[in-house]
Amino acid sequence: MSENRIILEVKGLKKYFPIHKGDKTLFVKAIDGIDFEVREGETVGLVGESGSGKSTTAYCVIGMYSVTSGTILFKGKDISCASSQRPLELKRDMQIVFQDPGTSLNPQHTIYKIIELPLKVHGLAKGREMRERIVQLLESVELPESYLYKYPRMIGGGERQMVAIARALATNPSFMILDEPTSSLDVSVQAKIINMLIKLQKEFNLSYLFITHDLSLMRNVATRVVIMYLGKIAEMAPTEIFFQSPQHPYTQMLLSSIPVVTKEEEELKPKKIKSQGEIPSPVNVPPGCSFNTRCPLAKPECFEKDPVMVQVGPDHFVRCNLFA
Amino acid sequence: MGDLVKIQDLYVWFRVYGGYMKVLNGVNFSVGKGEKVSIVGETGCGKTTTMKTILRILSSQAHIPKGEVLFEEKDILKMKEGEIKRLRGRGVAMIFQDPMASLNPVFTIGDQLAAVISHSGVQDLDKEKIRQLSINALKEVKLPDPERILGSYPFQMSGGMRQRICIAMALATERALIIADEPTTNLDVTIQDQILALLRELVTKRGNSLILITHSLGIARENADRIYVMYAGNMVEVSNNEELFCNPLHPYTEMLLGCVPKLSGGGIAEGIAGRIPDYLNPPPGCRFEPRCPYATDRCREEKPDFVDVGNGHKVACFKYN
Ligand SMILES: Nc1ncnc2c1ncn2[C@@H]1O[C@H](COP(=O)(O)OP(=O)(O)OP(=O)(O)O)[C@@H](O)[C@H]1O
Ligand code: SF4
Ligand SMILES: [Mg+2]
C-alpha cells in the first residue's frame, strides 16, 4: 500500500472558529494541527466522537471552509483555498457524499434533474447522451430507470443515499469524501450501501476518505484508520495492526465501549480501560494532553505537556506522553 | 419468574387517509419480575408503538382490534383512567431517546425531580425531605455536585448528563418496570457505554424489570437476559441472550446479524433485499415473505405463530413448523 501514489496530503491543518462572548472573542479549535494522507485506491477511516473535528476536516478538504493555517495538497497541488477559488477541474475530481440524504438532495427536483446538474455544470453530457448517462449512473448504484422521474421523498432513505452516490459519481471523480454516509440508516440498508461503495471503488479506482464514528464499520471497510479526539489525531495505523494492537489510551477506551455480537469480538476489546468522564467542549480544551480529564493512565506531565506524534511501528503513529 | 407484563396477540392499527396502517400484527411478549428484556428491530417495526400501548399513550388515531396487555395480570387496555394514572406514577417509568424532549427546558432539574417525587403517592413529604430524596437520586446516577445540579437547567448539561438525569427521574421513586426506548442513540459510544452500565447496575440493584428498546443487536446482547427480535409489527424470534447469537433461527435474525459490522472483520453481508412492507397493505401471510429466501406458498397465505424449539427459544417461521 505504501508505495501507492499519495492523492491527498494534509499538513499542519488548523481550523479555528471565532465565537463572541460578551466583548471577548474566543476560538473553537475545531482542528488544531493534523497531518495525514490518503493514497491511491485507499479507504482512510477518519474516526471520532462529537466535537473531534472529523466533519470540519472533511469540509476544509472539500473547500466548504477556508483553513486557518496549514496546507492541503491534492495530487501534489496546494488547494488550501476557498471553494470559490478552486478550478472547475478540481471540483470535478473531488466529490462528497453527506450523512443525511434527505437534506442533501433538492426535494423540488426529480432524480433526473438531480443527477443532470453536475453533468451540465461540468459539460460532461448533452442532448441524447444526457439521459443515457443518467440511466447508466443509476444502474451503477443498482437503481432502475423507472426512478428517473421520482422525487427524493418518494423513495427510501437508503435509496436516497444511492442517488447521492450516483450524483457524486457523475463527474468521474478519483477521490470521494464520505461523511457518515450510513449513520442515519438501519444496518440492513447500511450493508447494501457499503457493499456498493466497495464495488464502485474497485470499478472506478476511487480513493475514499470515510468520516465516521463507527469503528466496527471501519474494521470492515478501511485500509487505514485515523482516530481524532478534540481536534487532534490520537492514533493512526493500518487497519489490521490498529485492531490487533491499539496503543493510545483513548483508542482503547473507544474500542472497549463498542457493543459487539460475538465472543470473538469480545476478545478484541481492551479490558483494562473502562470508559469514564465526559468529552470536554472544544471551546474549553484542557491544557496538556486534551485526554487528561478522562485518561486512567495520565502522568503528572500529561497535565502540562501536549504530546507529539511518535512512530511506534510500520505506518503506526501514536500521540501520547506514554510513548514519547 | 412470574410475568410482570404479558402482551398477548396484540393488534394496533392507525387510522390514516386511505385506510388503516396495520402496524402491530399479533404481538406476543412478556417481561418477568426483575428480568431485563431487549426488543431489537429496525426503523418502523413497531417497537415504540408496543411500548406506548403498555403506558396507554397511543395517539387518538390508534385502534386496537384485538389483544391483551396484562400488567400484574390486569388488562391495561381495560383499566379506568385513575388506575392508568397510578400505573404511570408508580408502576412504570419511561426513559426516551431524546432527554431534551422529556425534560422541561424552563424548569430547573430540582423542580422537575421534586415534581416526580411528590407525585409518587408517598405521603408526608416536606420540602426538605424532597430535597434530600432529589440529591440521593442524583448521587445514584453518579452526577458530581448534585446540589448545584438541582439549581441548573437542562440546557446547561451535556447530552450524557441529561440522560443521567432522566434515569434519576425514572428511578427516583419505586417502580416495578423501567422502559428505556433507545436511551443512548444520540450519544457518543464512550458515553453510551457509561450510561448503559449505569442503567444496568441500578436496575439490577433494585430488582426492577427493564425493557430496553434498541436498533443494535450488540446493545441488546450486552444488556439483556432475553432478546426479542421484531420485524414489521411481529415478534419473530425470542431467546436467551447467548443462544440468539450462536443459533439464530429466523431468516430475518440470521440476515440481520450478517449485516452487523464485526470488530473482528470478515466483511459485511450483502444486506436484505427489498424493504419493510407498506402497513396500509401488508402481505397477508408472513410479513417477511417478500424478502425471504426460504419463502414457500404457505408463507404467502398463512401467518406463522411462535413455536417453542426448547429452552424458551421461540421462532415465528414455517421453516420450523
Ligand atoms: N399516530 C400514528 N399514526 C400513523 N402511523 C403511526 C402512528 N404512530 C406510529 N405509526 C406508524 O407505525 C409504524 C411503527 O412505528 P414505531 O414508532 O412503533 O416504530 P419503531 O420500531 O419504534 O421505529 P424506530 O426504530 O424508528 O423508533 C411506523 O410505520 C409509523 O409510521
Ligand atoms: S415463514 Fe416463510 S417467509 Fe416467513 S420467514 Fe419463515 S420461511 Fe421466510
Ligand atoms: Mg421508536
Side-chain angles (χ1 to χ4, degrees):
Chain A
M1 186 55 65
S2 25
E3 58 272 24
N4 277 11
R5 183 161 77 110
I6 292 175
I7 294 275
L8 179 80
E9 193 172 2
V10 170
K11 287 199 264 191
L13 184 67
K14 292 188 182 177
K15 177 66 189 172
Y16 294 177
F17 295 99
I19 48 165
H20 304 285
K21 260 202 173 162
D23 46 5
K24 268 199 303 194
T25 303
L26 300 171
F27 285 94
V28 184
K29 299 180 176 176
I31 319 176
D32 200 14
I34 61 169
D35 301 79
F36 69 92
E37 62 205 31
V38 180
R39 298 164 201 149
E40 192 173 346
E42 222 190 359
T43 299
V44 170
L46 190 59
V47 184
E49 298 184 286
S50 53
S52 62
K54 53 192 190 306
S55 287
T56 308
T57 306
Y59 301 158
C60 286
V61 172
I62 202 78
M64 282 162 64
Y65 290 156
S66 61
V67 312
T68 302
S69 67
T71 50
I72 304 171
L73 299 174
F74 182 70
K75 296 184 174 171
K77 281 201 206 75
D78 190 347
I79 58 159
S80 3
C81 53
S83 178
S84 55
Q85 288 151 33
R86 291 187 173 191
L88 197 59
E89 167 55 20
L90 175 61
K91 291 185 188 168
R92 181 200 65 72
D93 206 11
M94 186 192 277
Q95 292 290 333
I96 185 165
V97 175
F98 294 99
Q99 169 172 355
D100 189 352
T103 54
S104 71
L105 302 178
N106 187 334
Q108 317 289 343
H109 286 176
T110 59
I111 287 166
Y112 183 97
K113 276 219 132 169
I114 288 169
I115 303 180
E116 182 190 40
L117 186 67
L119 290 169
K120 266 186 170 167
V121 168
H122 294 278
L124 296 168
K126 52 177 180 288
R128 284 235 328 277
E129 274 164 34
M130 183 60 89
R131 193 193 147 93
E132 273 168 39
R133 177 76 180 125
I134 296 174
V135 171
Q136 186 192 25
L137 283 162
L138 280 183
E139 270 168 12
S140 61
V141 295
E142 289 164 27
L143 290 177
E145 193 173 333
S146 62
Y147 274 48
L148 279 180
Y149 300 105
K150 289 189 193 246
Y151 289 87
R153 76 184 123 78
M154 297 161 73
I155 64 179
E159 291 169 332
R160 282 200 288 262
Q161 201 54 294
M162 305 277 194
V163 171
I165 293 168
R167 177 178 61 181
L169 287 174
T171 63
N172 290 315
S174 62
F175 176 69
M176 279 221 264
I177 299 177
L178 307 164
D179 186 15
E180 308 242 22
T182 57
S183 58
S184 58
L185 304 171
D186 279 317
V187 288
S188 66
V189 183
Q190 164 170 287
K192 261 189 263 182
I193 298 210
I194 293 297
N195 281 301
M196 167 99 47
L197 286 168
I198 293 172
K199 191 196 79 183
L200 294 169
Q201 177 167 44
K202 291 199 189 107
E203 200 173 318
F204 300 111
N205 190 30
L206 293 162
S207 309
Y208 289 150
L209 179 61
F210 200 128
I211 317 280
T212 179
H213 60 267
D214 188 344
L215 262 178
S216 319
L217 182 60
M218 285 307 102
R219 174 66 185 89
N220 294 279
V221 176
T223 43
R224 269 185 319 126
V225 183
V226 178
I227 305 291
M228 285 186 78
Y229 187 75
L230 285 173
K232 290 179 180 162
I233 294 174
E235 183 163 2
M236 181 156 68
T239 306
E240 291 276 324
I241 296 174
F242 178 86
F243 285 90
Q244 265 160 28
S245 63
Q247 297 295 325
H248 196 286
Y250 172 62
T251 309
Q252 297 193 21
M253 181 179 289
L254 202 55
L255 279 164
S256 76
S257 302
I258 297 174
V260 297
V261 296
T262 64
K263 287 197 176 119
E264 210 184 335
E265 292 177 90
E266 201 79 63
E267 267 150 36
L268 288 167
K269 284 169 63 166
K271 306 284 175 311
K272 290 199 198 83
I273 295 192
K274 286 265 167 298
S275 173
Q276 59 179 42
E278 297 264 334
I279 305 169
S281 147
V283 193
N284 221 338
V285 176
C289 169
S290 59
F291 189 56
N292 63 21
T293 56
R294 306 175 70 194
C295 183
L297 307 177
K299 305 184 286 184
E301 69 169 299
C302 301
F303 295 87
E304 284 151 24
K305 186 170 155 237
D306 191 14
V308 291
M309 195 63 104
V310 293
Q311 184 158 11
V312 296
D315 250 355
H316 191 170
F317 299 87
V318 181
R319 207 179 52 78
C320 164
N321 286 324
L322 298 175
F323 296 85
Chain B
M1 205 163 12
D3 287 332
L4 181 67
V5 175
K6 191 176 176 85
I7 299 181
Q8 276 177 311
D9 205 24
L10 178 69
Y11 288 74
V12 174
W13 296 0
F14 294 100
R15 210 173 308 118
V16 291
Y17 180 78
Y20 280 101
M21 304 247 298
K22 303 184 184 72
V23 176
L24 299 193
N25 185 42
V27 163
N28 289 300
F29 168 86
S30 69
V31 53
K33 296 200 170 110
E35 191 186 25
K36 296 192 258 307
V37 164
S38 189
I39 304 178
V40 185
E42 297 185 282
T43 305
C45 70
K47 305 179 294 291
T48 301
T49 303
T50 309
M51 291 309 110
K52 284 185 171 170
T53 323
I54 297 181
L55 287 164
R56 259 195 36 201
I57 51 173
L58 284 169
S59 71
S60 60
Q61 294 93 340
H63 167 65
I64 303 182
K66 202 174 154 200
E68 279 185 336
V69 181
L70 305 176
F71 187 88
E72 293 180 324
E73 284 161 26
K74 282 190 79 176
D75 194 344
I76 292 177
L77 303 179
K78 296 194 181 115
M79 283 184 186
K80 303 228 165 51
E81 209 38 52
E83 278 177 289
I84 288 292
K85 277 222 176 94
R86 226 169 305 138
L87 182 77
R88 288 184 208 137
R90 276 190 245 167
V92 188
M94 187 136 173
I95 299 164
F96 294 93
Q97 170 175 342
D98 181 5
M100 208 51 192
S102 43
L103 293 170
N104 192 324
V106 300
F107 290 104
T108 63
I109 305 300
D111 290 340
Q112 300 187 53
L113 267 167
V116 174
I117 292 168
S118 53
H119 280 112
S120 66
V122 184
Q123 308 295 305
D124 305 327
L125 288 177
D126 58 36
K127 261 198 153 156
E128 190 40 44
K129 184 77 190 142
I130 290 179
R131 192 183 151 75
Q132 256 324 306
L133 288 172
S134 305
I135 288 175
N136 289 348
L138 292 177
K139 275 191 187 148
E140 248 200 328
V141 295
K142 297 176 185 153
L143 279 167
D145 204 355
E147 312 250 347
R148 188 179 53 82
I149 289 177
L150 282 185
S152 348
Y153 291 88
F155 73 88
Q156 295 169 309
M157 326 254 130
S158 71
M161 288 167 84
R162 284 200 286 262
Q163 200 54 294
R164 281 180 199 269
I165 288 164
C166 290
I167 295 175
M169 282 168 63
L171 297 175
T173 61
E174 260 325 299
R175 314 275 187 144
L177 173 66
I178 310 293
I179 300 174
D181 191 353
E182 312 257 8
T184 57
T185 305
N186 293 331
L187 301 176
D188 281 309
V189 60
T190 56
I191 307 300
Q192 161 172 294
D193 190 49
Q194 295 175 35
I195 297 288
L196 290 173
L198 174 73
L199 186 63
R200 206 164 55 219
E201 177 195 319
L202 293 178
V203 164
T204 309
K205 192 170 92 188
R206 294 159 167 246
N208 297 133
S209 304
L210 173 72
I211 304 176
L212 178 65
I213 310 286
T214 176
H215 275 86
S216 157
L217 280 158
I219 289 182
R221 178 174 173 276
E222 297 193 353
N223 294 284
D225 306 321
R226 214 152 49 88
I227 300 170
Y228 283 87
V229 179
M230 190 164 191
Y231 178 78
N234 284 108
M235 298 296 171
V236 296
E237 181 161 4
V238 54
S239 97
N240 291 334
N241 191 325
E242 272 310 315
E243 166 100 4
L244 188 76
F245 298 92
C246 309
N247 186 23
L249 296 178
H250 198 281
Y252 174 66
T253 313
E254 194 191 326
M255 291 168 90
L256 190 64
L257 259 171
C259 292
V260 177
K262 317 283 185 305
L263 215 45
S264 46
I268 304 168
E270 270 297 321
I272 307 178
R275 52 166 131 149
I276 194 165
D278 175 5
Y279 286 119
L280 271 172
N281 203 357
C286 169
R287 284 190 170 181
F288 191 56
E289 175 269 317
R291 306 174 75 180
C292 181
Y294 309 97
T296 63
D297 286 343
R298 187 176 174 205
C299 310
R300 275 176 270 284
E301 284 149 20
E302 254 181 83
K303 171 175 152 5
D305 285 324
F306 261 158
V307 286
D308 197 328
V309 297
N311 254 330
H313 191 167
K314 296 180 197 162
V315 57
C317 165
F318 290 125
K319 262 178 93 186
Y320 304 93
N321 181 10

